[in-house]
Amino acid sequence: MSDFLKHFRTEQLEKGKEKIMDTKCPYCSVQCTMSLIEEKIITRKRFKAKPNKSDPTSEGRLCIKGVNAHQHVISNERVTHPLIKIDGEFVKIPWELALEYIAEQFKTIQREDGKDAVAAYGGGSLTNEEAYLLGKFARVGLQTKHIDYNGRFCMSAAATAANHAFGIDRGLTNGLHEIKDAKCIILAGTNIADCQPTILPYFRKAKKNGAYIIVIDPRETGTSKLADLHLQVKPGKDAYIANGMLKVLSDEGFLDEEFIKNRTDGFDHVLADLPSIDLEEMAQQSGVSAEQIKLAARKYGEAETGFLFTARGVEQHANGYENVRHFLNLVLGTGKIGKHACGYGAITGQGNGQGGREHGQKADQLPGYRSIENKEHREYIAKVWGIDEKDLPGKGVSAYEMMEAIDQEEITAMLVMASNPVVSNPNSIFVEKALKKLRFLVVVDMFVSETAELADLILPSSSYLEDEGTMTNLEGRVTLRKAERPMPKGVKHDWEILCDLASALGKKEGFSFSKAEEIFEELRLASKEGIADYSGITYNRIKEVGIIWPCPDTNHPGTPRLFDSSFSHRDGKAKFYPVQVSRQFPEISDEFPILLTTGRLMEHYLTGVQTRRSPDLLSRAKEPLLEIHPDTAATYGIDNGALFQIDSKQGSMIIRSNYSDKIRRDTVFAPFHWGDSQSINRVTSPALDPFCKMPEFKVCPIRVSPLVERKLVHQGQGGKQNETVDQGSS
Ligand SMILES: Nc1nc2c(c(=O)[nH]1)N[C@H]1C(S)=C(S)[C@@H](COP(=O)(O)OP(=O)(O)OC[C@H]3O[C@@H](n4cnc5c(=O)[nH]c(N)nc54)[C@H](O)[C@@H]3O)O[C@H]1N2
Ligand SMILES: Nc1nc2c(c(=O)[nH]1)N[C@H]1C(S)=C(S)[C@@H](COP(=O)(O)OP(=O)(O)OC[C@H]3O[C@@H](n4cnc5c(=O)[nH]c(N)nc54)[C@H](O)[C@@H]3O)O[C@H]1N2
Ligand code: SF4
Ligand SMILES: [Mo]
């Protein structure tokens, strides 16, 4: 840079053109904090993300997504006006008219089709205040029973399992800082290296301190590189590993009888069933040798301290709930919980995946993790909301079931806020068809997502840099996200939109908030004495670092570790689960001879609406690639880098192959970050877990076949071409 330019630039900056914004990454559940420096040099903007060293969770780390998160905020594809669809085209419409029109449509539809015909569908990116308000809006504003959210696809199996086993669902039972002291760590179906990269160092530290690390995953991943033992399970068959391990723990005297006797319930049933478990059968079913299962059990059993973590790999199955319960048997059987460096963690996914499931977006839940089916809970919340308990709707159906209800024309209008269901639901060809049947669809988003494209009306919302509110991270730490960048003209915050819509529906009372903090104050009251008690948390208390709930009063320091002396069930005891595996698993056949599993790449986030609009992330992974073993590919005539077709019972999609010898030969893996014909959910199965309604994203029998046209082969393979990213510019 010439001296002149240097001088000029300094002058520009001195004139206050540099803005430093304290913020948090909008993506995953770690919620890393950072300072985002925005420089304006003449007309160009430059951004630089500086991680915050005093963040107790990220410890001053950021991953590639956090570094580039601002790129979607400044994308010129941001929607900055309400848009109404007229003759298939979106045209701008003023806010007042848009709100009036929505209110009129919702009222007409409710009059004609019934109150429950209008549904709300939320998301785990919403702040606690917005998730809370969306729940209140559905129940009080619309008086509909139908509200659910994308977290159903995320945390529902682990949440239901933890509620039943422990009496409480908080992702991690212990603070992350305890991981380094654990002597054995089981990572089942979790790819932390790509999905929560900034917490990987906690595990590295543990390993350095001598921890034995066991990874259970059908693929070798960045996470399995840490492993001393990698159990390459057949997709869907984790329960056989867990039960095989329990059998070994029992046979070889590793169970903690004192703990079982004093702190748990239901072990008798387990004990009665254990003799029927045949280790060889467990090995044969799971695709992991009996020797490896034994070794895993011994290492976990003999370690003085230990953690067991699960994530979507074991949870996103039609028996995801039971999978988690089987793993929890290992934790309870060895008494590795409720003390230092011993515990369980369901690694939460979305930025506010934890808070989003505590305050009433879920079909069966009221704020503070209260139950909509419990009379006392209903009465308490009705009082906070100033309504009669009788006017509070009951329980609705789960996210995917809402799509079925739309298909059945029981739901005829929907408000989607912060989700892209047409890409993230399983069996998405059906879902798209169903959504097209709606009489009226409103989508609140920053972009014209694949779902927004189907909308009758799109309302533009603010981004993470613009929207203040609290987010609860994977530790259960309630943190305050500041909003220091003004939002584009024409955009509103999600909570403002809900207040305005309520007002347009004639329900102004109870929705006249003028800032997020006022909503939080009501949420504190609503959560008081609930399971997820936030009543002791104030904006002022969390302006530096967050507080881990439960926090029942303003002097309470928060609760990093749960279950030191008792579990959260009324009798204080944790519950075992019978070891029988009764379900019929989806199996391969001559027609569909390969098992598909799906998941994530480091570079993209969920359905990719934000990260595909971030040039530095998109350039690293331009299109979905199917991880396939070269031997499997050879069997079906698939060249490396070739575009080919995947078919399942549900539908087809086109994808490019990427040879990898790091995956089982009977399994292929695809990411779900792309839409339209590249969406892997066009083929995934609509099977749901009967306990928690989690879809079966992680296993689906498919067939692969070469496309007739081979011309595209070897053209631009996408993938990690651009390894170095200029972190300073955008
Ligand atoms: N980069 C990135 N990070 C993210 C996200 C993202 O989209 N991109 N999303 C966030 C969200 S919302 C979530 S929920 C989390 C998800 O975090 P994870 O659950 O860790 O991510 P996934 O890739 O879905 O699945 C994890 C692993 O499960 C394995 N797996 C597949 N089938 C099975 C099986 O049957 N058994 C076992 N044991 N393992 C199996 C996959 O090979 C994969 O490596 O990540 C969060 N972080
Ligand atoms: N095959 C397969 N499918 C899966 C999964 C899998 O592993 N495999 N995982 C499932 C999981 S764990 C999850 S969490 C779901 C996620 O599924 P989705 O809910 O579809 O997730 P997103 O892609 O985050 O969609 C968020 C949408 O909201 C917008 N948005 C982001 N922040 C805000 C905000 O603050 N306000 C508003 N109004 N809009 C916002 C974004 O632009 C985007 O369009 O996908 C599920 N689907
Ligand atoms: S994606 Fe997750 S790990 Fe990466 S910077 Fe954002 S919050 Fe941190
Ligand atoms: Mo998720």
Side-chain angles (χ1 to χ4, degrees):
M1 202 189 279
S2 73
D3 281 352
F4 170 78
L5 278 181
K6 256 189 216 155
H7 175 72
F8 181 72
R9 183 161 171 250
T10 318
E11 225 182 4
Q12 289 284 308
L13 296 181
E14 275 168 8
K15 281 181 187 155
K17 297 282 179 189
E18 185 188 65
K19 201 182 325 166
I20 303 176
M21 297 166 280
D22 282 337
T23 187
K24 294 176 140 306
C25 171
Y27 298 129
C28 89
S29 55
V30 187
Q31 284 296 290
C32 304
T33 50
M34 64 179 116
S35 298
L36 185 67
I37 303 160
E38 179 174 355
E39 300 173 349
K40 196 169 172 196
I41 301 166
I42 312 180
T43 54
R44 242 188 102 225
K45 286 189 181 123
R46 270 171 50 132
F47 290 84
K48 198 174 170 73
K50 253 181 65 187
N52 175 2
K53 294 254 182 306
S54 60
D55 180 334
T57 311
S58 75
E59 299 181 322
R61 294 177 284 267
L62 274 182
C63 83
I64 181 80
K65 286 186 301 306
V67 166
N68 292 299
H70 60 275
Q71 293 188 350
H72 78 269
V73 174
I74 57 166
S75 160
N76 53 19
E77 290 182 57
R78 280 283 293 273
V79 183
T80 54
H81 270 94
L83 298 172
I84 188 165
K85 198 182 268 161
I86 299 177
D87 294 335
E89 296 278 321
F90 282 115
V91 293
K92 290 178 187 171
I93 174 175
W95 270 103
E96 304 75 62
L97 275 186
L99 294 165
E100 218 175 282
Y101 182 61
I102 297 170
E104 195 188 290
Q105 286 290 312
F106 281 171
K107 277 190 197 160
T108 309
I109 291 170
Q110 286 193 309
R111 205 170 44 241
E112 292 172 4
D113 300 349
K115 289 256 187 227
D116 294 332
V118 178
Y121 191 112
S125 310
L126 294 174
T127 61
N128 287 315
E129 293 77 356
E130 290 161 347
Y132 167 80
L133 205 60
L134 183 62
K136 183 177 179 183
F137 175 76
R139 274 99 183 207
V140 180
L142 293 170
Q143 289 182 292
T144 177
K145 69 174 181 184
H146 282 311
I147 172 165
D148 212 52
Y149 79 123
N150 65 11
R152 181 68 68 173
F153 302 155
C154 188
M155 300 308 296
S156 65
T160 310
N163 276 327
H164 292 183
F166 306 140
I168 191 172
D169 151 44
R170 197 189 74 190
L172 307 186
T173 60
N174 305 47
L176 288 164
H177 60 279
E178 294 186 22
I179 291 173
K180 66 176 186 316
D181 299 325
K183 292 300 167 212
C184 181
I185 298 174
I186 301 179
L187 298 167
T190 161
N191 183 9
I192 290 164
D194 286 329
C195 297
Q196 294 83 11
T198 57
I199 65 164
L200 196 68
Y202 288 100
F203 296 88
R204 285 215 189 94
K205 236 180 252 169
K207 180 146 177 123
K208 226 167 126 192
N209 292 343
Y212 188 86
I213 298 186
I214 302 165
V215 167
I216 310 177
D217 195 306
R219 308 183 298 143
E220 279 177 41
T221 63
T223 309
S224 72
K225 281 196 192 121
L226 270 189
D228 296 284
L229 178 65
H230 178 194
L231 310 181
Q232 236 171 323
V233 64
K234 197 168 173 179
K237 301 296 181 72
D238 295 84
Y240 294 104
I241 294 185
N243 289 337
M245 284 176 70
L246 191 65
K247 164 96 167 168
V248 177
L249 288 169
S250 169
D251 287 354
E252 301 193 6
F254 288 117
L255 295 182
D256 183 339
E257 278 159 21
E258 271 297 296
F259 184 91
I260 294 173
K261 187 164 138 253
N262 298 329
R263 304 227 20 212
T264 70
D265 219 11
F267 189 66
D268 298 351
H269 298 291
V270 174
L271 210 53
D273 285 341
L274 275 182
S276 68
I277 290 185
D278 170 22
L279 204 56
E280 281 309 324
E281 191 201 332
M282 301 297 113
Q284 201 249 333
Q285 288 280 4
S286 64
V288 170
S289 73
E291 282 319 303
Q292 286 195 321
I293 296 177
K294 256 190 214 157
L295 182 59
R298 285 176 187 151
K299 288 292 179 184
Y300 184 64
E302 73 195 16
E304 222 167 274
T305 52
F307 276 109
L308 191 151
F309 293 93
T310 65
R312 305 316 80 78
V314 301
E315 299 161 13
Q316 288 174 327
H317 293 280
N319 64 329
Y321 163 80
E322 290 199 329
N323 275 346
V324 178
R325 295 296 307 263
H326 292 311
F327 277 112
L328 291 181
N329 281 347
L330 303 179
V331 176
L332 296 176
T334 57
K336 284 194 175 56
I337 191 156
K339 50 192 183 208
H340 182 74
C342 290
Y344 165 69
I347 308 217
T348 292
Q350 300 179 87
N352 198 27
Q354 178 73 56
R357 68 184 189 266
E358 296 162 1
H359 299 299
Q361 283 188 87
K362 215 171 164 188
D364 55 353
Q365 252 171 41
L366 292 172
Y369 232 127
R370 287 185 158 87
S371 163
I372 205 159
E373 295 184 294
N374 176 310
K375 183 106 165 92
E376 245 172 72
H377 292 187
R378 292 171 61 84
E379 275 166 358
Y380 180 80
I381 295 297
K383 201 160 135 224
V384 173
W385 287 349
I387 59 168
D388 196 333
E389 184 268 323
K390 286 196 294 302
D391 293 331
L392 196 56
K395 172 177 157 178
V397 297
S398 74
Y400 182 78
E401 289 170 309
M402 281 213 262
M403 301 299 155
E404 293 176 328
I406 294 173
D407 183 60
Q408 298 292 313
E409 294 172 34
E410 282 162 36
I411 292 175
T412 54
M414 188 175 238
L415 171 77
V416 174
M417 182 172 263
S419 185
N420 187 13
V422 82
V423 181
S424 53
N425 270 252
N427 195 19
S428 64
I429 298 174
F430 163 82
V431 169
E432 182 168 347
K433 267 196 214 139
L435 287 172
K436 283 181 176 160
K437 283 191 182 176
L438 284 172
R439 288 176 66 182
F440 192 58
L441 173 63
V442 182
V443 173
V444 187
D445 206 301
M446 292 171 283
F447 297 102
V448 185
S449 68
E450 289 78 0
T451 305
E453 272 170 31
L454 306 178
D456 297 287
L457 222 148
I458 303 174
L459 297 177
S461 83
S462 55
S463 77
Y464 77 103
L465 280 177
E466 301 143 7
D467 189 22
E468 183 182 62
T470 59
M471 304 284 281
T472 305
N473 80 2
L474 79 172
E475 294 175 291
R477 189 185 297 274
V478 186
T479 63
L480 180 61
R481 182 179 75 198
K482 296 178 190 154
E484 300 188 323
R485 197 169 198 268
M487 58 184 163
K489 226 172 121 226
V491 158
K492 286 181 191 252
H493 300 306
D494 293 303
W495 63 264
E496 279 181 304
I497 295 173
L498 292 169
C499 292
D500 290 353
L501 273 176
S503 171
L505 284 163
K507 298 275 171 63
K508 197 166 175 21
E509 209 183 316
F511 292 91
S512 45
F513 300 101
S514 61
K515 56 181 183 171
E517 188 174 0
E518 290 173 6
I519 307 170
F520 190 76
E521 286 300 308
E522 189 177 297
L523 184 160
R524 286 179 61 200
L525 179 63
S527 76
K528 196 174 168 60
E529 289 169 22
I531 292 174
D533 191 335
Y534 282 30
S535 61
I537 301 172
T538 63
Y539 270 31
N540 199 34
R541 286 191 76 195
I542 55 172
K543 63 179 189 263
E544 303 299 335
V545 288
I547 292 176
I548 299 183
W549 70 263
C551 178
D553 68 72
T554 47
N555 296 316
H556 193 284
T559 317
R561 188 167 66 229
L562 297 169
F563 317 140
D564 276 343
S565 54
S566 124
F567 289 92
S568 305
H569 285 299
R570 249 174 234 276
D571 63 2
K573 291 190 170 180
K575 314 290 170 211
F576 274 95
Y577 194 73
V579 295
Q580 299 297 347
V581 180
S582 52
R583 88 168 283 233
Q584 286 286 313
F585 290 92
E587 298 289 356
I588 54 169
S589 61
D590 289 346
E591 194 183 3
F592 300 115
I594 304 175
L595 291 175
L596 165 76
T597 189
T598 65
R600 290 149 172 86
L601 305 177
M602 160 88 101
E603 296 82 357
H604 285 287
Y605 188 66
L606 300 177
T607 65
V609 176
Q610 291 153 284
T611 50
R612 282 185 272 125
R613 286 172 175 85
S614 304
D616 282 327
L617 295 173
L618 185 65
S619 68
R620 290 181 154 226
K622 291 194 175 92
E623 62 176 328
L625 298 177
L626 187 89
E627 242 177 86
I628 184 167
H629 196 283
D631 294 350
T632 314
T635 310
Y636 299 100
I638 309 291
D639 292 334
N640 195 17
L643 273 177
F644 64 98
Q645 184 166 326
I646 295 182
D647 294 280
S648 74
K649 217 162 106 188
Q650 286 68 242
S652 339
M653 60 91 67
I654 308 282
I655 193 166
R656 202 179 289 284
S657 66
N658 186 22
Y659 281 11
S660 165
D661 58 6
K662 296 185 162 70
I663 188 161
R664 292 175 59 93
R665 283 177 176 75
D666 55 8
T667 305
V668 293
F669 171 89
F672 75 106
H673 308 300
W674 282 267
D676 302 321
S677 61
Q678 293 178 311
S679 167
I680 196 67
N681 278 326
R682 292 167 63 86
V683 305
T684 50
S685 150
L688 300 181
D689 183 304
F691 294 92
C692 60
K693 310 294 176 178
M694 168 68 90
E696 192 166 60
F697 289 119
K698 290 289 192 270
V699 58
C700 178
I702 58 151
R703 100 178 138 248
V704 296
S705 36
L707 291 181
V708 184
E709 269 200 68
R710 293 275 188 108
K711 271 188 294 190
L712 289 161
V713 173
H714 303 310
Q715 263 179 21
Q717 282 194 22
K720 298 178 183 177
Q721 293 150 329
N722 181 2
E723 278 305 324
T724 52
V725 170
D726 175 3
Q727 303 191 344
S729 65
S730 63

